[in-house]
Amino acid sequence: MAYALETAQSQIQSLLEKACSSSSFEMKNPPPKVDADLAVPLFRMAKESGKNPAAYAAEIAAGLELEGTLFESVSVTGGFVNFKLAESPFTERVFADFAENGEEYGGSQVGAGRNIVIDFSSPNIAKPFSVGHLRSTIIGDSLYKILSFVGYRVIGDNHIGDWGTQFGKLLYAFDVWGDRQQVEANPIREMLALYVRFHQEAEKDPALEQSARGWFKRLEEGDPEANELWQWARDASWEEFQRIYLRLGVKFDEVLGESFYNDHLDVVVKNAFDQGLAQWGEIEALPTEGQGEDEAGDGEDSKDVAQEKVALIHLDDHGIETPLLIQKSDGTSLYATRDLATIDHREKTWKPAEILYVVGGEQKLYFRQLFKAAELLGSKAKCVHVPFGLIRLPAGKMSTRKGNVIFLEDVLEEAVSRSEAILEERDLSDQEKRQIAEVVGIGAVKFADLSQTRTKDVLFDWEKMLNMQGDSAPYLQYAYVRIQSILRKASESVLVAPVDPSLLTEAQEMALIKALARFPETVGNAARSYYPHLIATYLVSLAREFSSFYKAVPILKTEPASLAATRLELARRTAQVLQQGLGLLGIACPQRM
Ligand code: ARG
């Protein structure tokens, strides 16, 4: 069954279809001063019939038959027809939706039978997990949950950056300056130090770059020493990443990584030449790319290939001036070569309706090139780059290459210890405080990210992130916790009394019901646009509606018992939606705080 609001909208649709000679209508939220729930602009139709918009709208409105719909009245403002919901039937429909869908309320089956691959997180081994990768992880995980909730089978693939020239650098540095014991004790920090040292020394002695490329060539050719060292670096990094994923509560279905495609790269290059798409050529310089830092992905591979013969796919005929590099003169692969092989593999394995790449906006050009090249090579996959802006930490943008990084775990730790300080005064045991602080702190970091329009930069503002009154995770978690405590206080007589939606007549009750009714549509919009912030914004408005409701009417201390039971049901459903919605953002709700 369609949800209440969907039903209401399709009723408007069919009423207007009959009345106007048109079949597509926009449904808007009327301005606050208009006492109605949905407004439909009729300017275009008025123009087509050569009439003044207000007169046309009035004429249409007069002829509408509302009998049997969820609406009680229509009105007109300018060229708009406004529809006002009939409270009692609508409330009953919303309660029926909850009863029918239970915990699944808000979800749907629009994606049923279709697969979506989400490429997300994808950090680079031997490097710290950057804040850019944090964004990809948080946004990707949320999209995973949202798309699953609307019926898709989602395959989350962590495309770890574990292959490329940068490993040549690491292997060289380790070979010359490394100490296994030291690295094992503190893998990422030590490997980073080696990496930084490589760049310092290479500035003095450019020949080092050549040696690093030699090491990468050995790696790609399967040299056992290079491979053993690489495997060891990979395992050590993965162990550290897993600690972060565990803490963030993020899981993947696949962690194939770039190295997985090593055996498929020759085929990619051969195909491109066979199809006449690739040519040998020279390039001047390429843009650098990476997830909010200067070291990642393609940037690394492409920096040192200027002024030499490389295999290129030219894309000028397709409006993209920069060619895509797929092989270097020494036969080694690039980021793009591995990505082309990846698309092919994903297409064959999962036959996905879409492949989403949750990667920073800096790689925009790269993905345009990649998707076009894949298409020219015969791929039918619908690839979508889902970009995001940078995270700005209070100290400003950091660079791994120079070594002055902020470690992600320090950021999470800071959020948790600040949350602990907030919980200081509460009547909770120390252990409880620590557990709750973890849920609140991690939730605050995630919400600060997900409540922003994905494509915008995020400034980490601790005060705002943890403000219990503001648009923050703790505010929503606290609203949830408060409802739990009301539920615990309900007496037996209220718990057994029948729920009767027709008893709800107060303005704040209606406003809360309408807010609850908007959840399914919000989820649908977030899934379609890949915008988790729509859910975040919605949850804040739901919590605000709840708080006005709670201020305006007593929940438990009211007569008859069935009115209390019905208000309690409204509170319980609000908590359910808060928990479900936060869950879609990957944020947990504590039971107490
Ligand atoms: N490891 C890359 C980076 O840090 C991101 C990989 C994104 N996924 C992809 N298929 N290219 O920049």
Side-chain angles (χ1 to χ4, degrees):
M1 192 174 67
Y3 288 110
L5 211 53
E6 277 175 281
T7 306
Q9 287 169 345
S10 54
Q11 288 173 348
I12 295 185
Q13 177 77 24
S14 55
L15 281 172
L16 289 178
E17 248 170 51
K18 270 183 244 153
C20 321
S21 48
S22 175
S23 59
S24 75
F25 301 95
E26 251 183 292
M27 316 244 171
K28 306 203 164 221
N29 291 325
K33 60 180 195 305
V34 175
D35 181 23
D37 300 290
L38 287 159
V40 184
L42 295 181
F43 297 93
R44 183 172 48 83
M45 299 82 187
K47 197 172 174 199
E48 275 161 20
S49 40
K51 289 182 181 155
N52 158 290
Y56 179 79
E59 188 186 307
I60 294 293
L64 297 176
E65 183 49 78
L66 298 180
E67 185 71 37
T69 70
L70 290 167
F71 297 98
E72 63 176 27
S73 63
V74 288
S75 62
V76 170
T77 38
F80 287 87
V81 179
N82 310 310
F83 293 79
K84 186 168 158 58
L85 288 163
E87 298 191 343
S88 195
F90 187 73
T91 306
E92 264 159 45
R93 267 302 308 268
V94 176
F95 274 74
D97 286 347
F98 273 108
E100 187 183 317
N101 295 282
E103 294 296 319
E104 296 301 304
Y105 177 80
S108 74
Q109 287 304 317
V110 294
R114 278 179 293 165
N115 296 350
I116 287 195
V117 175
I118 308 186
D119 179 318
F120 73 109
S121 193
S122 311
N124 302 313
I125 67 165
K127 303 262 180 75
F129 195 104
S130 75
V131 284
H133 297 115
L134 174 68
R135 278 210 88 179
S136 173
T137 309
I138 292 175
I139 296 169
D141 181 53
S142 175
L143 291 176
Y144 187 107
K145 292 176 161 122
I146 294 168
L147 290 164
S148 303
F149 198 43
V150 299
Y152 288 95
R153 176 178 168 222
V154 186
I155 299 103
D157 184 6
N158 188 346
H159 192 70
I160 300 261
D162 60 359
W163 211 246
T165 321
Q166 65 269 40
F167 298 104
K169 293 178 186 171
L170 181 72
L171 296 185
Y172 174 87
F174 185 81
D175 187 42
V176 183
W177 309 298
D179 174 319
R180 202 175 264 249
Q181 256 178 348
Q182 215 173 330
V183 176
E184 249 155 22
N186 205 342
I188 303 246
R189 287 179 204 233
E190 286 302 323
M191 286 193 269
L192 177 67
L194 285 172
Y195 185 72
V196 170
R197 172 136 185 215
F198 178 90
H199 283 278
Q200 284 164 350
E201 308 267 346
E203 248 166 54
K204 289 178 255 159
D205 178 7
L208 258 58
E209 298 282 352
Q210 243 359 80
S211 314
R213 289 181 60 176
W215 270 96
F216 180 53
K217 194 167 162 57
R218 283 174 66 184
L219 187 61
E220 258 194 358
E221 285 169 350
D223 171 277
E225 189 192 350
N227 241 279
E228 195 269 335
L229 217 51
W230 168 81
Q231 187 69 48
W232 170 77
R234 187 185 200 272
D235 291 349
S237 297
W238 180 240
E239 223 168 274
E240 293 224 10
F241 295 161
Q242 264 181 315
R243 221 177 41 235
I244 292 169
Y245 294 136
L246 194 70
R247 198 157 186 198
L248 294 173
V250 173
K251 295 199 179 89
F252 304 93
D253 300 294
E254 299 284 355
V255 187
L256 298 180
E258 293 184 35
S259 64
F260 175 81
Y261 301 96
N262 193 25
D263 295 340
H264 309 267
L265 304 175
D266 290 345
V267 181
V268 170
V269 177
K270 186 175 179 306
N271 271 351
F273 275 105
D274 287 353
Q275 295 185 36
L277 284 166
Q279 274 109 36
W280 290 105
E282 261 179 39
I283 41 141
E284 280 297 313
L286 280 175
T288 56
E289 283 139 11
Q291 301 211 30
E293 302 212 9
D294 60 4
E295 94 285 17
D298 197 26
E300 200 55 64
D301 280 337
S302 31
K303 262 184 209 96
D304 42 27
V305 291
Q307 312 273 333
E308 68 171 74
K309 274 224 171 329
V310 289
L312 299 164
I313 297 182
H314 286 285
L315 300 162
D316 343 33
D317 290 351
H318 306 276
I320 305 169
E321 275 178 37
T322 325
L324 188 69
L325 247 80
I326 58 167
Q327 194 170 57
K328 293 186 234 164
S329 55
D330 61 1
T332 54
S333 69
L334 290 111
Y335 185 48
T337 331
R338 288 160 333 243
D339 255 330
L340 287 170
T342 307
I343 293 178
D344 188 53
H345 173 81
R346 287 175 177 160
E347 221 179 341
K348 289 193 178 119
T349 315
W350 294 295
K351 310 202 168 29
E354 278 171 39
I355 306 176
L356 306 184
Y357 292 78
V358 184
V359 185
E362 313 85 30
Q363 296 193 33
K364 184 166 172 229
L365 170 62
Y366 169 70
F367 282 114
R368 275 182 65 213
Q369 296 174 297
L370 176 71
F371 298 163
K372 184 47 83 183
E375 186 193 319
L376 295 172
L377 285 164
S379 162
K380 297 270 172 290
K382 185 178 170 218
C383 295
V384 183
H385 179 204
V386 179
F388 52 82
L390 306 178
I391 290 189
R392 297 184 189 284
L393 291 161
K397 205 185 150 192
M398 302 281 158
S399 151
T400 312
R401 183 155 303 181
K402 297 185 199 77
N404 53 344
V405 244
I406 285 201
F407 285 90
L408 180 66
E409 285 186 299
D410 299 342
V411 174
L412 298 181
E413 206 41 59
E414 174 93 15
V416 172
S417 65
R418 281 175 184 254
S419 306
E420 240 171 334
I422 290 175
L423 296 168
E424 183 91 72
E425 305 288 295
R426 308 282 158 118
D427 176 24
L428 298 161
S429 73
D430 283 351
Q431 196 203 350
E432 261 181 313
K433 274 185 197 156
R434 178 73 205 176
Q435 275 167 0
I436 298 169
E438 181 78 19
V439 174
V440 171
I442 302 288
V445 169
K446 289 187 177 183
F447 195 86
D449 181 330
L450 294 171
S451 58
Q452 300 295 313
T453 309
R454 168 169 54 66
T455 43
K456 286 196 187 143
D457 292 355
V458 174
L459 177 70
F460 260 33
D461 176 342
W462 294 112
E463 311 305 325
K464 200 173 142 216
M465 245 160 83
L466 292 162
N467 181 352
M468 304 277 280
Q469 254 57 269
D471 301 2
S472 67
Y475 170 67
L476 298 172
Q477 288 166 323
Y478 189 64
Y480 172 84
V481 165
R482 202 159 55 161
I483 298 174
Q484 298 310 306
S485 102
I486 301 170
L487 290 169
R488 278 195 295 270
K489 284 188 201 119
S491 68
E492 194 52 30
S493 60
V494 170
L495 289 174
V496 298
V499 168
D500 179 359
S502 72
L503 297 174
L504 302 177
T505 52
E506 300 289 336
Q508 288 83 2
E509 292 167 338
M510 286 318 299
L512 181 56
I513 288 163
K514 286 173 187 169
L516 289 168
R518 281 179 21 238
F519 184 51
E521 183 180 52
T522 307
V523 171
N525 290 342
R528 252 191 314 279
S529 59
Y530 318 123
Y531 273 142
H533 80 273
L534 297 177
I535 292 178
T537 316
Y538 163 81
L539 292 175
V540 171
S541 71
L542 177 67
R544 300 230 188 278
E545 284 305 348
F546 181 79
S547 145
S548 333
F549 159 80
Y550 186 63
K551 271 186 212 129
V553 300
I555 296 181
L556 296 173
K557 292 194 186 88
T558 190
E559 293 286 329
S562 66
L563 177 58
T566 311
R567 286 183 181 156
L568 192 65
E569 176 66 4
L570 210 48
R572 188 169 74 87
R573 293 309 192 179
T574 303
Q576 173 188 327
V577 171
L578 285 173
Q579 187 178 32
Q580 181 68 265
L582 282 170
L584 294 176
L585 304 178
I587 299 171
C589 284
Q591 290 307 310
R592 282 151 55 84
M593 71 189 268

